[in-house]
Amino acid sequence: MLKKILVPLDGSDLSGRILERLEPIFQQEHPEVHLLRALPSAPDEEAAEVASTRAQLERFADTLSNRRATITSSVELGDPGQVILSYIDKNKPDLVAMSTHGASGISRWVRGSVAERVLRRCPVPLLMANPEGLAASGRPGFKRILVPLDGSKTAAEVLPLVEELARPYAAEVLLLCVERPEVMVAPMGSPAQPDQGRRAREILAPYESMFTTAGIQVRAKVAIGPPAQWILKVAEEEEIDLLAMTTHGRSGPSRWLFGSVAEKVLRASPCPLVLHRSFSQD
């Protein structure tokens, strides 16, 4: 259940736009929503700036008071990335919803940014959305959710979160399994090569059944080729509103992202992403 949601803000109008997309969750879950603003420590101007920022944040929270959610806010001093991660560690939100400011999709949020630092260490599901991209989609909410699966238990760990997100949006879930091509040399006159998509369809079948039983609209799609390339291709062609993935992570600043399929998808995604970080081994 998405009962506690953290929304880090940076003071820009863009950073607050992600709240518009959470409205269906507010209506169904009635969550606690905490707005968090971090200010770098500057002793000479600290008191006045904190007071001004707190008042600004409280005014913004007041504009959200008609939503079916409990809105609270706070301003804290310190490095923004560390402030956000410390809040997550102490309060264990069910979801962190964070705007990025890339030119399109999530692309070019650049290494070293606050978003990347939170992504690397966030132990709870993280929704990353470019507010300009959200406004340009032309559709309210997240109506089509793409979930890449590879047959591992780790990849499937994101599915309960997908169900939680799909229900308030009445979304269609598109399950995608991409098989790498196999090159087989068969003797002349031998039977045709096995259907390479068969394993992928077998992987997706139980999950497709699971969503159908839960009353959620679902489709399954199989592709053969490079996984990241196909995930991005399907996201574009199907006009996906939200891409949901499990990422493999370990503690601390380990390089779990870069060089992986997740990195390639993250850097070129045409739509928002929700990432579930897994520590399991399979």
Side-chain angles (χ1 to χ4, degrees), residues 18 30 42-43 49 52 63 70 99 102 110 165 181 183-184 193 202 205 210 219 231 242 255 263 276 280 282:
I18 198 168
H30 316 317
E49 186 174 7
S52 173
T63 68
T70 302
S99 289
V110 303
L165 291 170
V183 179
M184 299 177 63
Q193 295 182 10
E202 291 173 349
M210 180 188 78
R219 283 190 291 137
I231 292 168
L242 182 65
R255 301 183 66 80
E263 178 205 2
H276 167 82
S280 65
D282 62 1

Side-chain angles (χ1 to χ4, degrees), residues 238-262:
E238 295 278 352
E239 297 183 330
I240 295 298
D241 298 308
L242 182 65
L243 178 55
M245 295 181 69
T246 300
T247 56
H248 297 257
R250 295 174 179 82
S251 61
S254 61
R255 301 183 66 80
W256 60 273
L257 176 65
F258 295 106
S260 67
V261 170

Side-chain angles (χ1 to χ4, degrees), residues 14-155:
L14 289 178
S15 66
R17 282 192 190 169
I18 198 168
L19 288 158
E20 299 169 8
R21 292 302 177 98
L22 299 178
E23 184 65 32
I25 296 176
F26 296 167
Q27 294 297 321
Q28 183 160 314
E29 301 285 355
H30 316 317
E32 299 175 22
V33 177
H34 188 80
L35 310 178
L36 176 64
R37 178 79 192 279
L39 294 176
S41 180
D44 293 340
E45 303 174 1
E46 191 172 287
E49 186 174 7
V50 169
S52 173
T53 301
R54 182 172 289 115
Q56 181 185 43
L57 195 56
E58 288 174 354
R59 286 194 297 271
F60 180 61
D62 286 342
T63 68
L64 306 173
S65 60
N66 62 333
R67 271 115 170 134
R68 300 185 69 180
T70 302
I71 310 292
T72 60
S73 63
S74 65
V75 176
E76 297 187 19
L77 293 173
D79 173 79
Q82 189 56 51
V83 166
I84 295 168
L85 290 167
S86 294
Y87 180 92
I88 294 169
D89 289 340
K90 292 176 183 177
N91 296 279
K92 305 295 189 295
D94 300 308
L95 179 71
V96 177
M98 190 171 185
S99 289
T100 63
H101 293 204
S104 63
I106 306 296
S107 63
R108 303 196 64 79
W109 49 268
V110 303
R111 301 185 185 192
S113 69
V114 172
E116 183 205 17
R117 292 165 60 199
V118 173
L119 173 61
R120 281 181 172 274
R121 291 181 53 197
C122 185
V124 302
L126 174 63
L127 170 62
M128 302 182 71
N130 180 302
E132 293 176 327
L134 287 175
S137 72
R139 285 192 300 274
F142 302 122
K143 294 296 187 180
R144 296 177 191 149
I145 303 176
L146 175 62
V147 189
L149 298 169
D150 60 9
S152 68
K153 292 180 180 178
T154 299

Side-chain angles (χ1 to χ4, degrees), residues 146-162 175-178 199 203-204 207 210-211 231 244-249 261 274-282:
L146 175 62
V147 189
L149 298 169
D150 60 9
S152 68
K153 292 180 180 178
T154 299
E157 287 179 14
V158 75
L159 294 178
L161 174 62
V162 171
L175 305 175
L176 173 66
C177 186
V178 183
R199 176 178 174 274
I203 287 171
L204 296 181
Y207 302 123
M210 180 188 78
F211 280 106
I231 292 168
M245 295 181 69
T246 300
T247 56
H248 297 257
V261 170
V274 63
L275 302 169
H276 167 82
R277 190 177 181 194
S278 173
F279 296 90
S280 65
Q281 302 290 327
D282 62 1

